[in-house]
Amino acid sequence: METSAGCLRDTSVVVVTLDSGEVYIIASLSTRADTQVIYIDPTTGALRYSAKHGYDVFKTQNEALDYITNGSKWLCKSVTHARAILGYAALGSYAVLLVATRLIASIPNLPGGGCVYTVTESQWIKVSLQNPQPQSKTENKNIQELTDLDIDGKHYFCETRDITRPFPSRTPLRIPDDEFVWNKWFSTPFRNIGLPQHCVTLLQGYAECRNFGSVGKQEGLVALTARRSRLHPGTRYLARGLNSCYSTGNEVECEQLVWVPKKGGQSVPFNTYIWRRGTIPIWWGAELKLTAAEAEIYVSDRDPYKGSAEYYQRLTERYDARNLDVAVSGSQKKSALVPIVCVNLLRNAEGKSESILVQHFEESLNYIRSIGKLPYTRIHLINYDWHASVKLKGEQQTIEGLWYLLKAPTVSIGISEGDYLSSRERINNCKGEIICNDDYVGAFCLRSHQNGVVRFNCADSLDRTNAASFFGALQVFMEQCRRLSISLDSDLAYGYQSPANYTGYIAPLPPGWEKRSDAVTKKTYFIDHNTRTTTWDHPCPDKPWKRFDMTFEEFKRSTILSPVSILADLFLTAGDIHATLYTGSKAMHSQILSIFNEEAGKFKQFSAAQNMKITLQRRYKNAVVDSSRQKQLEIFLGLRLFKHFPSAMIHPLHVPSRPSGCFLKPVPSMFSSSDGGASLLSFKRKDLIWVSAQAADVVELFIYLGEPCHVCQLLLTIAHGADDTTFPSAVDVRTGRCLDGLKLVLEGASIPQCANGTNILIPLTGPVSAEDMAITGAGARAQETSSPSMLYDFEELEGELDFLTRVVALTFYPAVAGRGPMTLGEVEILGVSLPWRSIFSHEDSGVKFYECINSRRKDTNNFRSGSGSNPFSTAMTNDKGMPSCQLESSANSFIDFLTGEVRLSDSSSQLVAETVVHEGNDLLDFLDDTFTPPVSDSNKDSSISFSEGSSDSGSQQYIRSFKVLAGPHWQERRLDFMEAMKLEIERLRLNLSAAERDRALLSIGIDPASINPNMLLEDSYMGRLYWVASTLALLGQISVEDKITASIGHEIADENYVDFWNISAIGERCQGGACQVRVETGPTAGSSFSMASDSTFVCFDCGRRVCKVCSAGKGALLLATSNLKEVSGYNGITGQGGSDASSNRLATIDGIICKECCHEVVLDALILDYVRVLISLRRRTRTDDAAEKALNNLIGLSSKNLILERDHFLNNKGNAKVLAKLTNGEDSLAEFPVASFLHPVETAPGSAPLLSLVSPLKYGSQDSYWRAPANVSSVEFAIVLGDLSDVSGVVLLVSPCGYSMSDAPTVQIWASNTINKEERSCTGKWDVRSMITSSSELCGPEKSFKDKVPRHIKFAFRNPVRCRIIWITLRIQRLGSNSVNIDRDFNLLSLDENPFAELNRRASFGGQIDSDPCIHAKRVLVAGRSVRTEIGASPQGSDQINVRNWLERAPQLNRFKVPVEAERLIDNSLVLEQFLSPVSPQLAGFRLDGFSTIKPRVNHSPSRDVIGDPTSCLLEDRLISPALLHIQVCALQESHNMVTVAEYRLPEVKPGTPMYFDFPRQINTRRVTFRLLGDIAAFSDDPSEQDDSELRAHPWAAGLSLANKIKLYYYADPYELGKWASLSAV
Ligand SMILES: [Zn+2]
Ligand SMILES: [Zn+2]
């Protein structure tokens, strides 16, 4: 389908928005022949694409359009036509899609093909998503600001080849250099659905190409490309100098490509020159003073050159051609070094503000030389005060001076030269480096390479830089032309030489010389009038780089100027674009670029005014919009998303309940036209009001999910709910892999009465075991109602995670039992599915998935084989954290998500920050050596039992640790906060759940609540701790994000990492020695501790030597050096100029801070953060376990390494063909993940799992197959198909062992639309034994299945049957069990001549059961066509009227507000107490308005393994253990006791949504209290409304306050109350 090189057509993208609000992206790429349809899920914004023909793959765009709109255009609300997709993101309430609507082919045809398009018009399409997940106003504002980002004219892309690297790129299109990809993050959703090419690789900057020629005709083409680096994005005043990603502000790589176009088939000669521009690579900035004319320049006083070396290192790696150089003409000698020549154009005169930068620039290079980090780089600095020179000597001499300085470096760096060979057959003739890949037909032959780079800078890298780089590049351009035999010498213009007979370049003549041509031979000769001699030879033969030696006037006189002005033109535009990107206005002082232009003088006058105007413009932009532009860029690049979109999901959830989800049992309705309830699952009927059958006491929905997933949320749309009791008031949720054995997930969750159309979201966990529930569950919570868990969820209940969940059963209960039918609206199930499609095709995320699983297995195996000691005992010491195999593995190898490369990383590359390690010792070694837990001896003993899955040893170890901590009097002594936290670390290290911990503690008579750290601190201190920990978490996130960005373009990893938390182990103490701090002293728990080394560090603050135990983690220094106020603004109040620059800054500061200099609250915050990280890792490990389990259930725990089968898989491109043969060209309808089994089927031990029967054709091990246990003589497979389908037959793939007479089954097949067996119809019965008699091929082991259709049996139906479920029964006849049949069957054959007699031994092939035949099969395929189901056909007219009538008849509720005499808020407004008058009516319930809080994603610093790929997690923490709120209502009763009336689990709704909760019964009371319970700490305020006072007494969100949120009501008849009643409606 995909073609290499050449395009078939122009890319066309159509974005269709239907009336229902659904959005489809229809893309027909230039590189493909077909059309893809991508659906944006209207609830979550997840992109959906299934690669199914006729469903989302079509032959043409029109066919796709017809399908989506059902052939009727009027279904469309809007249609946008575009030329390319630039990006997409779902950000909570909105999704944004960016498309390019108009393009210019700015470089239409690069040598070797490929068109560079500049986006001249783009469009943001904002899709409003219909989910109730609360999102802050600030987030919505940020989305709006993102869509204001200026794209047009400043971005470009190429669809067919990589242009992020110097031309010609050695790397294919799909692996761009991330330094220059601006939509890397923004294009992720397309990569995740397996369509990486559907979103182009977008570069920022300038790309343009022009023809030029010497004699008025085209001779050459020049293309100027400027790629802006994204490593230090941002605007002037906010992004200058270095950042912590080792990049400078306004950093641009420029490329000047010159080539001679040729007609088809000929080689295309070309050459290129690259240079860099950017601000000075040291830490500096400029502060804008409102009064001063110029900004004040400052250089960081601490480590101003930190990262400078890394900056040059990155340049060195990119422009290092030492090993590539192919000496061709001998003109370039192989160089040993990579020169980097910095041309610094700053003012350097005494008193000029810029001169401080010049000094530091020089100093920084001295520093780099002194540390000797860059042995192969030679950095030259050329200071050239451009402004002073222009003022003093004028423009012309300034240019001459520049040429003088540039000559030597330019010549030695050289240019790259080569040819594009249109056919690879010519490669043999190439002397040089050959570059070829799939992106073009031919190959490049590079004869010479540029080695090193010239780098220009002024203060902002704008105006002076642009001018100087033009005059530098102009010289190179002249040389580039000369080498391509394009003469730009002006004397040629007057000659009569035809281009055909000149052989290369002819230099201008010295004064007194004349050129003539021989009248007869036409050969040129030269006359020297000075000496009166003639010669055939040119007096000064062609000299490379000769114009460097000319004066300005000489240059001008000897050169054809039209190409020069063409080049100047390109530079002028490029300069404007860079200036606009950086400052928001055009370039100034650019008239000098027109100096060769005759009319330059006129231009000059005009430009003075122009400059003035631009200066003012820039000032305005800087002061007003820079900060918001900075934010736009960050969002566009996907940076600091935890700050800009704290509540948004990393990956939006899937909605597997549609479109191919269905009800397994029809839902009875009151009205006949209802479609069995199917429309309840359809988004197209969002406004649906569905009425249950009259008699129903409960309504049960059995939902079959379109794909298996872990179910996370239930989303209900209230239909007709606010004012009557017809909407259900509670729901139970059960889930499972099939219809049998559904597990209860949620019981009696209350559904408030809400207005029609309200979306309410009910978060779900996996099913929690009853045992755990009893020990840590609701009961435990009730006891500590007075103090919510502020720090972390000490009692976390862990539900089972299952990615194969297929059936969700919902039971709805009416508000008032037995009163009548219920109404329902749309029901959506939200979940997370594994990337099945890429798992099967081994694409991007699939490969990652396998690597993860494989390395987990490897580690598990090592562990089981007993090699090495208990990995857990070492796990903590180096902060590998959890004893998770996954963690270990990710340390060994992970895919670098930035480059797509698999990297081996050393296991110490765990966190973030670098440190200066004194005494030459690695801090980590030290950590490794010192921590030996006091229980280490027993660890070894118990490791075996642990590995066998017993948790006892873990519990025992835990108890031992507890006793060590609490000391000899452990029964009486209470732990303090720090001890309790260390015990929790131990618990997590031992991989115990909260319930397991509680069981262990209870077993020795300790109340778990007594070690709950949440209850061991003062309330006021807790608030402060919470706040510091949140800040720490953000700093950690920032520094890790920068670390990831910094790694782009860097081969080297940082050598030293310091631990972020540095939590000392239980009993670990300072050993004195060289340590001058000695803060952690006291009795050591055992003599086993010894200082492995005397390594000490120097405290950043007090300067004393400090040992590791007495040092605080790296995080403490981050906190100490950050401006806390600025960081606290993370939730939105950025924009105060430079805030981000400073947060960037802090990550780079080296050092250690001792515990004495560190505030206590910081130390507590560090340990809290560490516990949170461990909890998160535990969740992650559980997720990975669940993922592995799911995979095992599909293909079995194959002993083979999965990766081994990858090649096999990749080689199977004929798969589709084979499949088509098996299904006679029809669709395969019963393939996992769309299809699955309705019921479990008994499976023999050691057999391939049941699901392998429906896994994709060639997936899994070749010789494995499914078997029933030997004693089973009949099995029934109930297969649910992906869609309602017309099935034409079933294909059974024969197991590799083949059939024999004893195990060949009889097959009977039924079909139906529902699970009701009575309704199914039999489609036929077949006897396989009779088949094998006629075809011996089916018998015995399969000989070779390569390249051919595997052995199979087809069971074709007489006519296609429309159905959703297929039942297949396999039955074998057992000897003795049915002798009659056996006799009859065997009579068919002569036993003597039985050709299969010896095949009875076939079972031995399977190796499991020797004598007993069993039912077995390899695969089951169902062939047919899926039917497009038209859900949403509006009900018949009569029914519509009936529904309406019925709804109007429904009992109306009239709520009236109960007046409150007094009320007070207690416990930080989490409790509301209301006092009522004695004459108050009976209370019926209360109204609660949705809280205006969000649930931020980040509450701890990143764990180490997230560094590889922060987006790689399958399940976010928030989804595994969702934060829940409950409201508890108590009322004063007769006995003068407060009695709990009810407790309600609150669903998520949009802020301010009124929810009415009825009490279970009406109550009479004078005092009611409402208490908010649950995971209060997981919520935070809308940043824009956040109170930024640092020491707010209570850390929890003000938005959770119950003030003015609750109103009590009663029901009454309005007529009885009179007209005033309406005034007190609730
Ligand atoms: Zn110490
Ligand atoms: Zn100190």
Side-chain angles (χ1 to χ4, degrees), residues 514-549:
E514 191 195 342
K515 184 173 70 181
R516 290 211 185 143
S517 88
D518 185 275
V520 183
T521 63
K522 303 275 186 222
K523 201 174 169 189
T524 307
Y525 66 97
F526 301 89
I527 308 167
D528 184 354
H529 294 293
N530 306 311
T531 60
R532 294 170 180 276
T533 53
T534 62
T535 168
W536 293 111
D537 300 323
H538 195 284
C540 41
D542 181 23
K543 221 174 96 195
W545 303 105
K546 65 179 176 198
R547 278 184 171 78
F548 263 127
D549 300 325

Side-chain angles (χ1 to χ4, degrees), residues 1123-1324:
N1123 181 338
L1124 292 185
K1125 186 140 191 182
E1126 278 172 3
V1127 179
S1128 75
Y1130 83 94
N1131 264 338
I1133 322 160
T1134 51
Q1136 301 308 315
S1139 68
D1140 201 47
S1142 63
S1143 56
N1144 268 340
R1145 181 68 188 117
L1146 50 96
T1148 66
I1149 291 175
D1150 291 329
I1152 285 286
I1153 195 164
C1154 77
K1155 280 186 182 166
E1156 207 158 89
C1157 296
C1158 187
H1159 200 282
E1160 186 195 357
V1161 76
V1162 174
L1163 291 173
D1164 286 347
L1166 282 168
I1167 199 166
L1168 172 59
D1169 188 56
Y1170 188 62
V1171 167
R1172 287 176 176 174
V1173 167
L1174 292 183
I1175 289 171
S1176 160
L1177 285 175
R1178 181 176 160 83
R1179 291 182 187 175
R1180 202 176 155 123
T1181 309
R1182 288 170 54 212
T1183 307
D1184 290 339
D1185 286 342
E1188 185 178 352
K1189 211 166 127 195
L1191 198 63
N1192 289 344
N1193 269 285
L1194 187 65
I1195 55 156
L1197 244 178
S1198 155
S1199 54
K1200 283 184 194 154
N1201 192 326
L1202 283 167
I1203 292 293
L1204 287 179
E1205 293 175 29
R1206 181 173 162 185
D1207 292 337
H1208 152 75
F1209 191 88
L1210 291 178
N1211 289 337
N1212 268 306
K1213 290 203 169 160
N1215 213 359
K1217 247 186 222 164
V1218 172
L1219 191 63
K1221 269 187 196 160
L1222 288 171
T1223 60
N1224 286 341
E1226 290 187 305
D1227 300 335
S1228 171
L1229 300 168
E1231 206 169 87
F1232 188 86
V1234 291
S1236 179
F1237 293 95
L1238 193 56
H1239 302 288
V1241 179
E1242 218 183 326
T1243 298
S1247 151
L1250 179 66
L1251 276 176
S1252 72
L1253 282 172
V1254 291
S1255 70
L1257 196 57
K1258 297 262 175 146
Y1259 190 69
S1261 165
Q1262 293 236 355
D1263 47 9
S1264 72
Y1265 57 93
W1266 177 86
R1267 290 193 314 273
N1271 60 349
V1272 171
S1273 59
S1274 145
V1275 294
E1276 182 177 77
F1277 304 122
I1279 300 174
V1280 188
L1281 308 179
D1283 284 299
L1284 185 66
S1285 310
D1286 289 331
V1287 177
S1288 62
V1290 169
V1291 183
L1292 195 71
L1293 261 60
V1294 180
S1295 316
C1297 60
Y1299 281 122
S1300 69
M1301 282 314 288
S1302 59
D1303 62 4
T1306 44
V1307 176
Q1308 194 168 6
I1309 300 173
W1310 291 267
S1312 171
N1313 242 341
T1314 68
I1315 53 172
N1316 210 340
K1317 270 195 178 183
E1318 285 74 53
E1319 289 171 28
R1320 66 188 191 177
S1321 54
C1322 182
T1323 62

Side-chain angles (χ1 to χ4, degrees), residues 1070 1075 1078 1107 1110:
C1070 175
C1075 179
R1078 305 195 184 185
C1107 74
C1110 302

Side-chain angles (χ1 to χ4, degrees), residues 824-979:
L824 283 179
E826 196 204 351
V827 174
E828 290 160 89
I829 307 290
L830 277 62
V832 174
S833 25
L834 295 182
W836 291 114
R837 218 161 53 80
S838 41
I839 285 172
F840 295 140
S841 61
H842 272 289
E843 281 162 5
D844 299 331
S845 44
V847 173
K848 262 187 224 174
F849 185 80
Y850 280 115
E851 275 164 14
C852 176
I853 298 281
N854 271 329
S855 46
R856 282 166 62 84
R857 280 188 187 173
K858 207 167 64 199
D859 288 0
T860 314
N861 290 342
N862 286 345
F863 186 32
R864 286 196 176 129
S865 66
S867 69
S869 57
N870 185 351
F872 295 0
S873 64
T874 56
M876 177 182 160
T877 53
N878 50 15
D879 286 307
K880 279 172 192 157
M882 289 294 294
S884 128
C885 305
Q886 199 272 333
L887 275 182
E888 300 274 337
S889 67
S890 66
N892 294 333
S893 78
F894 60 92
I895 294 203
D896 184 343
F897 82 110
L898 296 161
T899 63
E901 289 160 4
V902 180
R903 280 199 183 173
L904 289 177
S905 72
D906 73 31
S907 56
S908 68
S909 63
Q910 43 150 345
L911 224 256
V912 196
E914 201 184 320
T915 182
V916 172
V917 177
H918 303 265
E919 310 288 328
N921 275 305
D922 190 336
L923 184 57
L924 270 181
D925 295 341
F926 183 42
L927 282 169
D928 283 340
D929 293 340
T930 46
F931 174 63
T932 321
V935 290
S936 60
D937 288 343
S938 50
N939 268 357
K940 269 174 194 145
D941 298 338
S942 55
S943 63
I944 294 158
S945 60
F946 197 100
S947 68
E948 283 159 1
S950 152
S951 64
D952 282 341
S953 72
S955 302
Q956 282 160 15
Q957 289 178 50
Y958 176 77
I959 286 172
R960 275 192 290 270
S961 298
F962 170 75
K963 289 178 181 171
V964 167
L965 258 180
H969 309 290
W970 54 267
Q971 272 125 327
E972 294 100 65
R973 190 172 163 259
R974 277 180 74 97
L975 300 184
D976 66 18
F977 172 75
M978 196 53 100
E979 287 168 332

Side-chain angles (χ1 to χ4, degrees), residues 1069-1081 1091 1096 1105-1111:
R1069 300 283 184 238
C1070 175
Q1071 294 291 304
C1075 179
Q1076 296 172 317
V1077 177
R1078 305 195 184 185
V1079 64
E1080 290 280 305
T1081 52
M1091 295 287 284
T1096 54
R1105 292 190 159 274
V1106 55
C1107 74
K1108 172 247 166 191
V1109 180
C1110 302
S1111 310

Side-chain angles (χ1 to χ4, degrees), residues 97-170:
L97 172 68
L98 176 63
V99 291
T101 46
R102 195 173 285 183
L103 306 174
I104 283 183
S106 46
I107 307 178
N109 196 6
L110 285 164
C115 174
V116 178
Y117 290 103
T118 297
V119 178
T120 53
E121 258 180 47
S122 59
Q123 193 176 328
W124 291 88
I125 295 166
K126 200 168 154 189
V127 182
S128 166
L129 301 173
Q130 304 202 24
N131 65 64
Q133 189 192 318
Q135 193 162 21
S136 67
K137 288 179 198 135
T138 316
E139 289 174 88
N140 289 333
K141 199 171 128 252
N142 286 345
I143 294 172
Q144 188 53 48
E145 284 187 27
L146 170 66
T147 59
D148 292 337
L149 185 68
D150 187 14
I151 299 292
D152 304 352
K154 301 166 193 74
H155 294 82
Y156 58 94
F157 63 87
C158 177
E159 287 178 296
T160 52
R161 55 192 289 176
D162 177 32
I163 54 167
T164 59
R165 295 181 177 84
F167 183 90
S169 171
R170 294 170 178 83

